[in-house]
Amino acid sequence: MRPRQALVTGVSAGLGQAMAQKLVTEGVEVWGTARDVSRVPEGLRPVALDLGDPASVAACVERVRREAPGLDLLVNNAGAGAFYPLEEFPVEALDAQWRVLLHGPAELTRAFYGDFRSKGRGCVVNVTSLAGDYPIPFMSAYSGAKAGLSAFTRTLMLEAEGSGVTVIDLRPGDYATGFNDAMRGFDAVRRPDAARARDACEAHVRAGPGPGRAAEDLWRAVSQGRSGVVCTGDFWQAGLGPLLAHMAPERLIRRYLSGYYGLKGR
Ligand SMILES: NC(=O)c1ccc[n+]([C@@H]2O[C@H](COP(=O)([O-])OP(=O)(O)OC[C@H]3O[C@@H](n4cnc5c(N)ncnc54)[C@H](OP(=O)(O)O)[C@@H]3O)[C@@H](O)[C@H]2O)c1
């Protein structure tokens, strides 16, 4: 499928910015969101969106429907993490994680998938995470919300069969973006095991590829016009890792992750 008009959430930085710019270079007209629209890069049509606020989500849907009647691609990319031992997780931060990572994207999907379906054409891409298969300690709400968004997206793939709409679960591994800089609780960690896990997260994100790779993978997946799960990242995280996640016993994966994040000390 060759999209003509797209909505990409979270274009002020990172993966969303690279994806939106790739779409523009391919001739797609792009509506891009940020909480502060002054952060939307030139060349995109700015739309304000705070996924934590249901009224803002509704206003975004209304505005994009009005301005982009030919919309045929939705990329639900925007998101941010929170890093706390569960017993220290502020209730309001827990609630915000579900809203920003699950409720908001689900509502945008519901609205625009319905429009695409009635036209018999369109593509929904939900940016989930490898964290759905390989959970990240102290990011329980993040890992849970991303796993939930992934299951939601795969459910929709079934419902969309034969409708002319494609549905893609785009699962990034670690990418070098400012994701950790925006993460709540990341700088306030006190427990030694959480501090080791935080340092490991930081090292992995810094070592990840640049966002351009995710943008290329997005474009390839959308152009192919097939629903499915698309893993994106380095060789291990986009290839072998996802395969092993479905073959290895759960306790082996847990033991591996415990070492990966230094949970028992070194
Ligand atoms: N980087 C990685 O290693 C990685 C790995 C797996 C999955 N992901 C996923 O990829 C997506 C993009 O992450 P990134 O690495 O590009 O992070 P990033 O550089 O921090 O960019 C996040 C984007 O999301 C927007 N955003 C944050 N909170 C928002 C909210 N409450 N409402 C609306 N927009 C909000 C930000 O816009 P404003 O702050 O300007 O509003 C920004 O444009 C996220 O869904 C993330 O979970 C990233």
Side-chain angles (χ1 to χ4, degrees):
M1 174 191 140
R2 217 179 161 85
R4 294 177 212 129
Q5 291 187 324
L7 170 63
V8 182
T9 66
V11 298
S12 58
L15 304 186
Q17 188 168 104
M19 289 173 184
Q21 281 165 346
K22 170 69 182 170
L23 292 170
V24 169
T25 63
E26 295 293 342
V28 183
E29 192 178 8
V30 178
W31 278 254
T33 80
R35 282 170 290 183
D36 171 0
V37 287
S38 71
R39 297 190 64 212
V40 173
E42 270 184 37
L44 310 179
R45 292 174 178 260
V47 185
L49 172 67
D50 181 348
L51 286 166
D53 173 4
S56 172
V57 175
C60 168
V61 170
E62 202 267 324
R63 163 115 185 256
V64 173
R65 273 187 174 146
R66 185 163 24 90
E67 291 184 5
L71 196 86
D72 49 9
L73 173 62
L74 166 66
V75 183
N76 261 317
N77 158 79
F83 193 98
Y84 298 96
L86 188 60
E87 70 281 13
E88 295 173 19
F89 223 112
V91 172
E92 144 289 304
L94 201 58
D95 191 47
Q97 285 280 272
W98 309 131
R99 292 214 159 275
V100 170
L101 298 169
L102 200 48
H103 297 190
E107 176 51 20
L108 289 174
T109 303
R110 191 188 68 83
F112 290 111
Y113 167 74
D115 295 350
F116 297 166
R117 196 177 167 99
S118 60
K119 288 187 268 188
R121 181 176 188 281
C123 175
V124 175
V125 179
N126 285 338
V127 177
T128 62
S129 173
L130 188 64
D133 276 339
Y134 289 93
I136 306 171
F138 311 105
M139 291 179 69
S140 49
Y142 179 85
S143 304
K146 289 295 192 181
L149 185 62
S150 187
F152 171 87
T153 307
R154 285 182 296 126
T155 307
L156 191 60
M157 287 177 204
L158 291 168
E159 293 185 27
E161 274 180 20
S163 68
V165 182
T166 52
V167 181
I168 295 167
D169 173 354
L170 187 73
R171 287 188 196 167
D174 291 312
Y175 266 95
T177 69
F179 181 82
N180 286 342
D181 302 329
M183 181 128 68
R184 278 192 66 173
F186 207 52
D187 293 330
V189 166
R190 290 188 306 269
R191 261 172 52 178
D193 55 349
R196 286 193 298 274
R198 179 204 47 208
D199 294 347
C201 283
E202 187 56 19
H204 300 146
V205 161
R206 282 194 194 289
R213 184 179 299 186
E216 292 298 329
D217 287 346
L218 167 87
W219 180 249
R220 198 172 309 113
V222 170
S223 305
Q224 276 171 354
R226 273 200 309 268
S227 292
V229 176
V230 175
C231 298
T232 176
D234 69 17
F235 168 74
W236 159 251
Q237 295 189 342
L240 216 51
L243 201 64
L244 283 178
H246 297 278
M247 290 163 60
E250 206 280 327
R251 71 172 190 294
L252 272 189
I253 291 182
R254 199 156 8 103
R255 193 180 303 164
Y256 165 74
L257 289 174
S258 172
Y260 190 76
Y261 289 105
L263 296 182
K264 292 195 183 123
R266 298 191 199 277

Coordinates of all heavy atoms in Angstrom, one line a residue, residues 151-218:
A151 N -1.2 -7.4 22.2 CA -2.3 -8.3 22.2 C -3.5 -7.7 21.5 O -4.2 -8.3 20.7 CB -2.6 -8.9 23.5
F152 N -3.7 -6.4 21.9 CA -4.8 -5.6 21.3 C -4.6 -5.6 19.8 O -5.6 -5.8 19.0 CB -4.8 -4.2 21.9 CG -5.7 -3.2 21.3 CD1 -7.0 -3.1 21.7 CD2 -5.2 -2.3 20.3 CE1 -7.8 -2.1 21.2 CE2 -6.0 -1.4 19.8 CZ -7.3 -1.2 20.2
T153 N -3.4 -5.3 19.3 CA -3.1 -5.1 17.9 C -3.2 -6.4 17.1 O -3.8 -6.5 16.0 CB -1.7 -4.5 17.8 OG1 -1.6 -3.4 18.6 CG2 -1.4 -4.2 16.3
R154 N -2.8 -7.5 17.8 CA -2.9 -8.8 17.1 C -4.4 -9.3 17.0 O -4.8 -10.0 16.1 CB -2.0 -9.8 17.8 CG -0.5 -9.6 17.4 CD 0.4 -10.6 18.0 NE 0.4 -10.5 19.5 CZ 0.2 -11.5 20.3 NH1 0.0 -12.7 19.8 NH2 0.1 -11.3 21.6
T155 N -5.1 -8.9 18.0 CA -6.6 -9.2 17.9 C -7.2 -8.5 16.8 O -8.0 -9.0 16.0 CB -7.3 -8.7 19.3 OG1 -6.6 -9.3 20.4 CG2 -8.7 -9.1 19.3
L156 N -6.8 -7.2 16.6 CA -7.4 -6.4 15.5 C -7.0 -7.0 14.1 O -7.7 -6.9 13.2 CB -6.9 -4.9 15.6 CG -7.6 -3.9 14.7 CD1 -9.1 -3.9 15.0 CD2 -7.1 -2.6 14.9
M157 N -5.8 -7.6 14.1 CA -5.3 -8.2 12.8 C -6.4 -9.2 12.4 O -6.7 -9.3 11.2 CB -4.0 -8.9 13.0 CG -2.8 -8.0 13.1 SD -1.3 -8.9 13.4 CE -0.3 -7.7 14.2
L158 N -6.9 -10.0 13.3 CA -7.9 -11.0 13.0 C -9.2 -10.4 12.5 O -9.8 -10.7 11.5 CB -8.2 -11.9 14.2 CG -7.1 -12.8 14.7 CD1 -7.4 -13.4 16.1 CD2 -6.9 -13.9 13.7
E159 N -9.6 -9.3 13.3 CA -10.9 -8.7 12.9 C -10.8 -8.0 11.6 O -11.8 -7.8 10.9 CB -11.3 -7.6 14.0 CG -11.6 -8.2 15.4 CD -12.0 -7.2 16.3 OE1 -12.6 -6.1 15.9 OE2 -11.9 -7.4 17.6
A160 N -9.6 -7.6 11.2 CA -9.5 -6.8 10.0 C -9.3 -7.6 8.7 O -9.3 -7.1 7.6 CB -8.2 -5.9 10.1
E161 N -9.3 -9.0 8.9 CA -9.1 -9.8 7.7 C -10.2 -9.6 6.7 O -11.3 -9.5 7.0 CB -9.1 -11.3 8.2 CG -7.7 -11.7 8.6 CD -7.6 -13.2 9.0 OE1 -8.4 -14.0 8.7 OE2 -6.6 -13.5 9.7
G162 N -9.7 -9.4 5.5 CA -10.7 -9.3 4.3 C -11.3 -7.9 4.3 O -12.1 -7.6 3.4
S163 N -10.9 -7.0 5.1 CA -11.5 -5.6 5.1 C -10.8 -4.6 4.3 O -11.3 -3.5 4.0 CB -11.5 -5.1 6.6 OG -10.2 -4.8 7.0
G164 N -9.6 -5.0 3.8 CA -8.7 -4.0 3.1 C -7.9 -3.1 4.0 O -7.1 -2.3 3.5
V165 N -8.0 -3.3 5.3 CA -7.2 -2.6 6.3 C -6.1 -3.5 6.8 O -6.3 -4.7 7.1 CB -8.0 -2.1 7.5 CG1 -7.2 -1.3 8.4 CG2 -9.2 -1.3 7.0
T166 N -4.8 -3.0 6.8 CA -3.7 -3.8 7.4 C -3.4 -3.2 8.8 O -3.5 -2.0 9.0 CB -2.5 -3.8 6.5 OG1 -2.1 -2.4 6.2 CG2 -2.7 -4.5 5.2
V167 N -2.9 -4.2 9.6 CA -2.7 -3.8 11.0 C -1.3 -4.4 11.3 O -1.0 -5.6 11.1 CB -3.7 -4.4 11.9 CG1 -3.4 -4.1 13.4 CG2 -5.1 -4.0 11.5
I168 N -0.4 -3.5 11.8 CA 1.0 -3.9 12.1 C 1.4 -3.6 13.6 O 1.1 -2.5 14.1 CB 1.9 -3.1 11.2 CG1 1.7 -3.5 9.7 CG2 3.4 -3.4 11.5 CD1 2.3 -2.6 8.7
D169 N 1.9 -4.6 14.2 CA 2.5 -4.5 15.5 C 4.0 -4.3 15.3 O 4.7 -5.2 15.0 CB 2.2 -5.8 16.3 CG 2.9 -5.9 17.7 OD1 3.7 -5.0 18.0 OD2 2.6 -6.8 18.4
L170 N 4.5 -3.0 15.4 CA 5.9 -2.7 15.2 C 6.6 -2.7 16.5 O 6.3 -1.9 17.4 CB 6.0 -1.4 14.5 CG 7.5 -1.0 14.1 CD1 7.9 -1.8 12.9 CD2 7.6 0.5 13.8
R171 N 7.5 -3.7 16.7 CA 8.1 -3.9 18.0 C 9.6 -3.5 18.0 O 10.5 -4.3 17.6 CB 8.1 -5.4 18.4 CG 6.7 -5.9 18.7 CD 6.8 -7.3 19.3 NE 5.5 -7.8 19.3 CZ 5.2 -9.1 19.4 NH1 6.2 -10.0 19.6 NH2 4.0 -9.5 19.4
P172 N 9.9 -2.3 18.5 CA 11.4 -2.0 18.5 C 12.1 -2.6 19.7 O 11.5 -2.9 20.8 CB 11.3 -0.5 18.8 CG 9.9 0.0 18.6 CD 9.1 -1.2 18.9
G173 N 13.3 -3.0 19.5 CA 14.3 -3.3 20.6 C 14.9 -2.0 21.0 O 14.2 -0.9 20.8
D174 N 16.0 -2.0 21.7 CA 16.6 -0.7 22.1 C 17.1 0.1 21.0 O 17.8 -0.3 20.1 CB 17.9 -1.1 23.0 CG 17.5 -1.7 24.3 OD1 16.6 -1.2 25.0 OD2 18.1 -2.7 24.7
Y175 N 16.7 1.4 21.0 CA 17.1 2.4 20.0 C 17.7 3.6 20.7 O 17.2 4.0 21.8 CB 15.9 2.9 19.2 CG 15.7 2.1 17.9 CD1 14.8 1.0 17.9 CD2 16.4 2.4 16.8 CE1 14.7 0.3 16.7 CE2 16.2 1.7 15.6 CZ 15.4 0.6 15.6 OH 15.2 -0.1 14.4
A176 N 18.7 4.2 20.1 CA 19.4 5.3 20.8 C 18.5 6.6 20.5 O 18.6 7.3 19.5 CB 20.7 5.5 20.1
T177 N 17.6 6.9 21.5 CA 16.8 8.1 21.5 C 16.8 8.7 22.9 O 17.5 8.2 23.8 CB 15.3 7.7 21.2 OG1 14.8 7.0 22.3 CG2 15.1 6.9 19.9
G178 N 16.1 9.7 23.1 CA 16.0 10.4 24.4 C 15.0 9.7 25.3 O 14.6 10.3 26.3
F179 N 14.6 8.5 25.0 CA 13.5 7.8 25.8 C 13.8 7.8 27.3 O 12.9 8.2 28.1 CB 13.3 6.4 25.3 CG 12.3 5.6 26.0 CD1 10.9 5.8 25.6 CD2 12.6 4.8 27.0 CE1 9.9 5.1 26.3 CE2 11.6 4.1 27.7 CZ 10.3 4.2 27.3
N180 N 15.0 7.4 27.7 CA 15.3 7.4 29.1 C 15.4 8.7 29.8 O 15.1 8.9 31.0 CB 16.7 6.6 29.3 CG 16.6 5.1 29.1 OD1 15.4 4.6 29.1 ND2 17.7 4.5 28.9
D181 N 15.7 9.8 29.0 CA 15.7 11.1 29.6 C 14.3 11.6 30.0 O 14.2 12.4 30.9 CB 16.3 12.1 28.6 CG 17.7 11.7 28.1 OD1 18.4 11.1 28.9 OD2 18.0 12.0 26.9
A182 N 13.3 11.1 29.3 CA 12.0 11.5 29.6 C 11.3 10.5 30.6 O 10.1 10.7 31.0 CB 11.1 11.5 28.3
M183 N 12.0 9.5 31.1 CA 11.4 8.5 31.9 C 11.3 8.9 33.4 O 12.2 9.3 34.0 CB 12.3 7.2 31.9 CG 11.7 6.1 32.7 SD 11.6 4.6 31.8 CE 13.3 4.2 31.6
R184 N 10.0 8.8 33.9 CA 9.7 9.2 35.3 C 10.4 8.2 36.2 O 10.4 7.0 36.0 CB 8.2 9.2 35.6 CG 7.5 10.4 35.1 CD 6.1 10.4 35.7 NE 6.1 10.5 37.1 CZ 5.0 10.7 37.8 NH1 3.8 10.8 37.2 NH2 5.0 10.8 39.1
G185 N 11.0 8.8 37.3 CA 11.6 7.9 38.3 C 13.0 7.5 38.0 O 13.7 6.9 38.9
F186 N 13.5 7.7 36.8 CA 14.8 7.1 36.4 C 15.9 7.6 37.2 O 16.9 6.9 37.5 CB 14.9 7.4 34.9 CG 15.8 6.3 34.2 CD1 15.5 5.0 34.2 CD2 16.9 6.7 33.4 CE1 16.2 4.0 33.5 CE2 17.6 5.8 32.7 CZ 17.3 4.5 32.8
D187 N 15.9 8.9 37.5 CA 17.0 9.5 38.2 C 16.9 9.5 39.7 O 17.8 9.9 40.4 CB 17.1 11.0 37.8 CG 17.5 11.2 36.3 OD1 18.2 10.3 35.8 OD2 17.1 12.1 35.7
A188 N 15.8 8.9 40.2 CA 15.6 8.9 41.6 C 15.7 7.6 42.3 O 15.3 7.4 43.4 CB 14.2 9.5 41.9
V189 N 16.3 6.6 41.5 CA 16.4 5.2 42.0 C 17.3 5.1 43.2 O 18.4 5.7 43.2 CB 16.9 4.3 40.8 CG1 17.3 3.0 41.4 CG2 15.8 4.2 39.8
R190 N 16.9 4.4 44.3 CA 17.7 4.3 45.4 C 18.2 2.8 45.6 O 19.3 2.6 46.0 CB 17.0 4.7 46.7 CG 16.8 6.2 46.7 CD 16.2 6.7 48.1 NE 14.9 5.9 48.4 CZ 13.7 6.3 48.0 NH1 13.6 7.5 47.4 NH2 12.7 5.6 48.3
R191 N 17.3 1.9 45.4 CA 17.6 0.5 45.7 C 18.8 0.0 44.8 O 18.8 0.3 43.6 CB 16.4 -0.4 45.4 CG 15.7 -0.8 46.7 CD 14.4 -1.5 46.4 NE 14.5 -2.6 45.6 CZ 13.5 -3.4 45.3 NH1 12.3 -3.2 45.8 NH2 13.7 -4.5 44.5
P192 N 19.8 -0.7 45.3 CA 20.9 -1.1 44.5 C 20.5 -2.0 43.3 O 21.1 -1.8 42.2 CB 21.8 -1.9 45.5 CG 21.3 -1.5 46.8 CD 19.9 -1.1 46.7
D193 N 19.6 -2.9 43.5 CA 19.2 -3.7 42.3 C 18.6 -2.9 41.2 O 18.8 -3.0 40.0 CB 18.3 -4.9 42.7 CG 17.1 -4.5 43.5 OD1 17.0 -3.3 43.9 OD2 16.2 -5.3 43.6
A194 N 17.7 -1.9 41.6 CA 17.1 -1.0 40.7 C 18.1 -0.1 40.0 O 18.0 0.2 38.8 CB 16.0 -0.2 41.3
A195 N 19.1 0.3 40.7 CA 20.2 1.2 40.2 C 21.0 0.4 39.1 O 21.3 0.9 38.1 CB 21.1 1.7 41.3
R196 N 21.2 -0.9 39.4 CA 22.0 -1.7 38.4 C 21.1 -1.9 37.1 O 21.6 -1.8 36.0 CB 22.4 -3.1 39.0 CG 23.5 -3.0 40.0 CD 24.1 -4.4 40.3 NE 23.1 -5.3 40.9 CZ 22.8 -5.3 42.3 NH1 23.5 -4.5 43.1 NH2 21.9 -6.1 42.7
A197 N 19.8 -2.2 37.3 CA 18.9 -2.3 36.2 C 18.8 -1.0 35.4 O 18.9 -1.1 34.2 CB 17.6 -2.8 36.7
R198 N 18.8 0.1 36.1 CA 18.7 1.4 35.4 C 20.0 1.6 34.6 O 19.9 2.0 33.4 CB 18.6 2.5 36.4 CG 18.5 3.9 35.7 CD 19.0 5.0 36.6 NE 20.2 4.7 37.3 CZ 20.5 5.3 38.5 NH1 19.7 6.1 39.1 NH2 21.6 5.0 39.1
D199 N 21.2 1.3 35.1 CA 22.4 1.5 34.4 C 22.5 0.6 33.2 O 23.0 1.0 32.1 CB 23.6 1.2 35.3 CG 23.7 2.3 36.4 OD1 23.0 3.3 36.3 OD2 24.5 2.0 37.4
A200 N 21.9 -0.6 33.3 CA 21.9 -1.6 32.2 C 21.0 -1.0 31.1 O 21.3 -1.0 29.9 CB 21.4 -3.0 32.6
C201 N 19.8 -0.5 31.5 CA 18.9 0.1 30.5 C 19.5 1.2 29.8 O 19.4 1.3 28.5 CB 17.6 0.7 31.2 SG 16.4 -0.5 31.7
E202 N 20.2 2.0 30.5 CA 20.9 3.2 29.9 C 21.9 2.7 28.9 O 22.0 3.3 27.8 CB 21.5 4.1 31.0 CG 22.1 5.4 30.6 CD 21.1 6.3 29.9 OE1 19.8 6.1 30.0 OE2 21.6 7.2 29.1
A203 N 22.7 1.8 29.3 CA 23.8 1.3 28.4 C 23.2 0.7 27.1 O 23.7 0.9 26.0 CB 24.7 0.3 29.1
H204 N 22.1 -0.1 27.3 CA 21.5 -0.8 26.1 C 20.9 0.2 25.2 O 21.1 0.1 23.9 CB 20.4 -1.8 26.6 CG 21.0 -2.8 27.5 ND1 20.2 -3.4 28.5 CD2 22.2 -3.4 27.5 CE1 21.0 -4.3 29.1 NE2 22.2 -4.3 28.6
V205 N 20.2 1.3 25.7 CA 19.6 2.3 24.8 C 20.7 3.0 24.1 O 20.7 3.3 22.9 CB 18.7 3.2 25.6 CG1 18.4 4.5 24.8 CG2 17.4 2.5 25.9
R206 N 21.8 3.4 24.8 CA 22.9 4.1 24.1 C 23.6 3.3 23.0 O 24.0 3.9 22.0 CB 24.0 4.5 25.2 CG 23.6 5.7 26.0 CD 24.7 6.3 26.8 NE 24.2 7.2 27.8 CZ 23.7 8.4 27.5 NH1 23.6 8.8 26.3 NH2 23.2 9.1 28.5
A207 N 23.6 2.0 23.2 CA 24.3 1.1 22.2 C 23.3 0.8 21.1 O 23.8 0.1 20.1 CB 24.7 -0.2 22.9
G208 N 22.1 1.2 21.1 CA 21.1 0.8 20.1 C 21.4 1.6 18.8 O 22.1 2.5 18.8
P209 N 20.8 1.1 17.7 CA 20.9 1.8 16.4 C 20.1 3.2 16.5 O 19.3 3.4 17.4 CB 20.2 0.9 15.4 CG 19.4 -0.1 16.2 CD 19.9 -0.1 17.6
G210 N 20.4 4.0 15.5 CA 19.7 5.3 15.4 C 18.3 5.1 14.9 O 18.0 4.1 14.2
P211 N 17.4 6.0 15.1 CA 16.0 5.9 14.8 C 15.7 5.7 13.3 O 14.6 5.2 12.9 CB 15.3 7.2 15.2 CG 16.3 7.9 16.1 CD 17.6 7.3 15.9
G212 N 16.7 6.1 12.4 CA 16.5 5.9 11.0 C 16.2 4.5 10.6 O 15.4 4.2 9.7
R213 N 16.7 3.5 11.3 CA 16.5 2.1 11.0 C 15.0 1.7 11.2 O 14.4 1.0 10.4 CB 17.4 1.2 11.8 CG 17.2 -0.3 11.4 CD 18.0 -1.2 12.2 NE 19.5 -1.0 12.0 CZ 20.4 -1.7 12.5 NH1 20.1 -2.8 13.2 NH2 21.7 -1.4 12.3
A214 N 14.4 2.2 12.3 CA 13.0 2.0 12.6 C 12.1 2.6 11.5 O 11.1 2.0 11.1 CB 12.6 2.5 14.0
A215 N 12.5 3.8 11.0 CA 11.8 4.5 10.0 C 11.8 3.7 8.7 O 10.7 3.5 8.0 CB 12.3 5.9 9.8
E216 N 12.9 3.1 8.4 CA 13.0 2.3 7.1 C 12.2 1.0 7.3 O 11.5 0.6 6.4 CB 14.5 1.9 6.9 CG 15.4 3.0 6.5 CD 15.0 3.7 5.2 OE1 14.4 3.0 4.3 OE2 15.2 4.9 5.0
D217 N 12.2 0.4 8.5 CA 11.4 -0.8 8.7 C 9.9 -0.5 8.7 O 9.1 -1.3 8.2 CB 11.8 -1.5 10.1 CG 13.2 -2.1 10.0 OD1 13.7 -2.4 8.8 OD2 13.8 -2.5 11.0
L218 N 9.6 0.6 9.2 CA 8.2 1.0 9.2 C 7.7 1.2 7.7 O 6.7 0.6 7.3 CB 8.0 2.4 9.9 CG 6.6 3.0 9.6 CD1 5.5 2.5 10.6 CD2 6.6 4.5 9.6

